[in-house]
Amino acid sequence: MHYVGVDLAWGQKRPTGVAVLDAAGRLVHVATMVGDEEIVATVSPYLAADCVVAFDAPLIVKNPTGNRKAEADLNRDFARFEAGAHPSNTGKPELTKPRGAALSARLGLDMDPRSTSSRRALEVYPHPATVALFRLGRTLKYKQKSGRSLETLRTDLLLLAQLLEGLATADCPLHLADHDGWRELVATVQTASRKSELRAVEDQVDAVVCAYVAMLADQRPDRVTIYGDVESGYILTPTLPAGHQPSPRPPKPFADPVAAAVRDYAALRPALVPAAEQVVALITGLLDDAGINYQTVTGRTKTVASFAAKVGRFLATAPDASPLLDMTDLIGIRVITYVHRDVDAVATLLHDELEVHDDRDLGEETASQGRFGYSSRHLQARFGPEATASCPAVGERQVQIQIRTVLQHAWAEFEHDIRYKGTVPEEHTHDLDRRFTLAAGLLELADQEFSTIQDRLRSRLVDHEPDVDADIGAEDPRITAPELAAFLAGQYHDADWSRTDHYAWIAGLVLELGITSLRELAEVIRQIDSGALEAKLGYRHRTGAVRRLDDALLAAYGERYVALSGNAHRIGLLTDRLARMAGPPTSR
């Protein structure tokens, strides 16, 4: 299956943009060409099997004057967004026999938008499509018109490119960023010194929009609207979201605040992408240092498309706010743990290390209403001076941090995927809600059982410590990670489990110290007053067993431990911790 977009020029000697997507929404071809022969030769290889070809050009025109019904109907919805269609009638010589219809006939395409044929042609229009897809308050001004500067055209064309790239995470995804031709188009826009250079890019970007609308019409027919009909002519476009309103027309020379915010965010976002990576690294480091067990820490920067969809509503409720500073989810972090008590441990740690301005336990809120459903801990946090030094690109901006267990995450992702795609008929909604509620209750029970399983396994390990006199073996002197995990469970019965990979990591440090048996390790630990050490360090939550061993080895070996090659990445952290061990007890 292929989806072809054709931004058809009015004349045979002017360039036409053509883009081709595969069934998964990956861009496989984008170019400009001149004349019908070149267009047919280019697209024919992609039309050997099932296909939908979307033309940005009239296909069916029968009225001698004025608008078609399609234009009149579409304009009632989109003219206020500056996305109305120009009149199409047979009084225009080029529409007596529409070029798009002739190409459709040559390619063997059915032009009926409601046809079930495997080879179809559609008439589409990029301007209303972008308004509906990205909730734009008004159309982007990337088309060459008198009075528009090179910089205005460049800015809005780059913005459209970023909005389209943002569809990679949509429920009907579009994948552009990995295609060499697309990257070349974006680079051309960034370096263009003349408007004519942008004109060639504009045709191809419009063709990509057309191809995406073709895919949407095929894969998500419930999300498109057909204006007009096959008898008098039609235009197919993504459906205008209910209640979506245009931005107020700004008095010159003032700018539309929504459009200005979107443009500003498009310029800012490249700096926020590494900022999100810095935050992930910082939070991962905090969790590792604290010895908290977790599965993953991931981050994302809000796409331009997602920002554009939200900023209008944000400014409607807070017109004097600064979206780039005050929208709290431009950077989002997600921490996934194994059991629920680790969710609390992560939240406690982040309260200690960051400036947390809001903390909502959505699972508790749901439970307080006597329901089962979405469960997640949501923190809004800023970074203090020390943390900001590690994340300079974040600055004073708030970061949204979600903390949930693996099972809570699975439920939330599946529920979002199903509801977002809107694939469930309305008559089945109540049954769907009941089944999601049942699944949420079962997963909450499973979460509790996993915690119980973990506690009982730890208790068993405490009661059945490994034989410290067991022969490790001459061939490999290392204490294995499973042996170390079982040993530490007995040594630190009040500590939580640590991440699986951390046991292997600290086993390497133990070997660097020349310790090759559990008996030797037990003797080192026995010399440390763990109660006094805990008082000096002031643990504020149940610390993992690996962190407890890490502290014991630091207390036992001091600078020698800091200097181990396996600790090269955290010399400063260990030096600070060693100084705290030498100081007075820490108050909790």
Side-chain angles (χ1 to χ4, degrees), residues 362-380:
L362 300 185
E364 283 190 359
E365 292 180 16
T366 301
S368 69
Q369 299 166 7
R371 298 185 296 108
F372 293 102
Y374 181 75
S375 294
S376 186
R377 189 89 172 259
H378 287 192
L379 275 58
Q380 293 294 151

Side-chain angles (χ1 to χ4, degrees), residues 255-308:
D256 173 2
V258 173
V262 174
R263 292 188 184 99
D264 289 344
Y265 182 67
L268 172 68
R269 189 176 184 276
L272 291 187
V273 172
E277 295 170 354
Q278 292 171 1
V279 176
V280 168
L282 173 66
I283 292 179
T284 300
L286 290 174
L287 297 178
D288 287 345
D289 182 51
I292 295 175
N293 193 18
Y294 65 94
Q295 186 197 41
T296 58
V297 181
T298 57
R300 65 101 182 100
T301 304
K302 201 173 192 68
T303 66
V304 177
S306 179
F307 180 89

